[in-house]
Amino acid sequence: MELDTNIKEIVDRALNGKEITVPEIKELFTVPAVSEESYFIQYASRKMSEVTLEGKAEVHAQVGINVGPCPKNCQFCSFAATNRVFKHFKVLTPEEIIKRCQRFEQDGANAIYLMATANFKFEEFINIAKQVKPALKPETVFIANVGDFDEAGALALKEAGFTGVYHAIRLGEGTVTDIDPKERLKTVRAAKKAGLLVGTCVEPVGPEHALEELVEKTRLAREMAPVFGGAARRISIPGTELAKKGMVSEAGMAHILAVVRLAMGYRVPGNCTHEPNGIGAMAGASLLWAENGSNPRDTDEKTETNRGYSVKKCREILSEAGWDILDGPSQIFKPQCR
Ligand code: SF4
């Protein structure tokens, strides 16, 4: 069998440190996930991921601090008010949040994230973060995953001890969500202006998404100059409209995350996938997430008892895919990398 020469040339250009063009990204996405060309793309992605993190994959761990119906109504999210999964509001106590974060620290997570729904009061989030941060080891990398915020909000996050944020312009943003994509971009700009590092992802990918949208969201993610990119699939929330469309397979996602990796290039240290899986880790995902508390892909408010993975399980998956795993604070969120 002979590799398609055009695909080989694009991949070689990416591996040689050249930024691949938007039409080239599109061309890579059109390759079937189970093909000689795709495995070549996935191998190249893996090699690039190994170079950018000096061979060490990472496990980050997120505590979801609240549940409740969210008026932003992202159709893929269990908190969307219209999905009617969580009808009550509930917030973990600061003591409980600290306990969960410290457990993740002990388990060896390389960074700790606090996540709240978009309608969670921002001041309350900052107030909680200010209690959590001093309870963590001084070197622990602390990341926020919240709704949109302005420049003052970004400064408040920085002041509360966060190194960075997770933020994405999701597939279907503004169509299956009640959020203007411009608002999401504004938040990313505010975060960067305040000196917060930004991690992002092409997500949540479903069979419903056109090739053009995948390409566009990959381009946008690259333009954000994040500390990590990657790709994650939409998980079906039972009983929702989107669930009827099914899900992309892990094999399909491995191809997509590999293309995103090559599109990002060497200047982006990390490449994530979610939920954790070995095929993705083989194909160049160098960052997996453990989760506890609430989770927008879960109908159980304690995701650790359902969909959420532990740090140990994420480390096992990476290890089985042949990765060494970083001990200590995240290198992905190391400012001097940029
Ligand atoms: S993804 Fe975020 S903004 Fe959208 S419904 Fe869920 S919590 Fe709200």
Side-chain angles (χ1 to χ4, degrees), residues 78 83 85 235-241 243-244 297-299 307:
S78 58
N83 283 339
V85 175
I235 300 293
S236 290
I237 307 295
T240 61
E241 276 305 302
K244 293 179 188 156
R297 279 161 280 91
D298 208 336
T299 53
R307 297 203 73 91

Side-chain angles (χ1 to χ4, degrees), residues 202-223:
V202 176
E203 58 111 341
V205 182
E208 67 274 20
H209 296 120
L211 173 63
E212 282 66 28
E213 182 164 16
L214 261 185
V215 175
E216 173 61 5
K217 290 300 184 313
T218 304
R219 180 188 69 78
L220 270 175
R222 179 165 74 184
E223 280 177 14

Side-chain angles (χ1 to χ4, degrees), residues 30-283:
T30 54
V31 170
V34 181
S35 65
E36 194 174 10
E37 282 77 15
S38 177
Y39 285 11
F40 180 64
I41 290 165
Q42 292 179 43
Y43 176 72
S45 155
R46 172 66 179 259
K47 288 290 125 187
M48 188 180 275
S49 283
E50 286 177 5
V51 169
T52 55
L53 290 180
E54 296 172 358
K56 303 271 190 189
E58 300 190 12
V59 177
H60 296 185
Q62 174 165 283
V63 178
I65 68 169
N66 75 306
V67 294
C70 173
K72 300 294 181 187
N73 282 326
C74 308
Q75 289 175 27
F76 45 77
C77 173
S78 58
F79 303 128
T82 44
N83 283 339
R84 306 173 67 81
V85 175
F86 295 107
K87 298 184 186 101
H88 63 292
F89 290 93
K90 193 169 157 190
V91 190
L92 297 176
T93 63
E95 294 71 31
E96 179 64 19
I97 296 166
I98 289 169
K99 215 165 78 191
R100 286 166 180 262
C101 290
Q102 288 175 336
R103 176 71 202 270
F104 275 150
E105 266 187 338
Q106 284 156 17
D107 291 346
N110 306 108
I112 307 285
Y113 294 44
L114 284 194
M115 184 207 69
T117 61
N119 58 335
F120 190 73
K121 231 170 151 225
F122 192 77
E123 296 71 33
E124 197 179 337
F125 183 81
I126 295 290
N127 184 26
I128 290 170
K130 282 183 171 169
Q131 294 174 67
V132 175
K133 177 67 178 152
L136 303 179
K137 295 180 194 157
E139 66 273 22
T140 292
V141 176
F142 196 37
I143 308 297
N145 183 359
V146 287
D148 290 294
F149 50 82
D150 59 12
E151 288 184 9
L155 288 170
L157 288 166
K158 182 97 176 120
E159 209 235 326
F162 288 107
T163 299
V165 295
Y166 175 79
H167 218 68
I169 295 112
R170 286 86 47 94
L171 285 107
E173 198 77 78
T175 309
V176 298
T177 75
D178 287 347
I179 306 175
D180 187 336
K182 288 197 200 90
E183 199 56 35
R184 307 288 292 174
L185 269 175
K186 237 168 81 185
T187 299
V188 170
R189 276 191 220 109
K192 296 192 104 165
K193 194 169 169 200
L196 292 162
L197 298 173
V198 176
T200 195
C201 184
V202 176
E203 58 111 341
V205 182
E208 67 274 20
H209 296 120
L211 173 63
E212 282 66 28
E213 182 164 16
L214 261 185
V215 175
E216 173 61 5
K217 290 300 184 313
T218 304
R219 180 188 69 78
L220 270 175
R222 179 165 74 184
E223 280 177 14
M224 284 160 61
V227 293
F228 66 81
R233 66 177 173 173
R234 175 179 55 69
I235 300 293
S236 290
I237 307 295
T240 61
E241 276 305 302
L242 281 178
K244 293 179 188 156
K245 302 194 186 283
M247 296 203 301
V248 178
S249 66
E250 289 179 354
M253 285 311 301
H255 177 74
I256 292 169
L257 74 88
V259 175
V260 174
R261 166 75 277 181
L262 295 181
M264 292 287 163
Y266 291 103
R267 73 185 176 133
V268 177
N271 196 50
C272 71
T273 199
H274 202 57
E275 295 170 335
N277 69 90
I279 309 175
M282 274 301 285

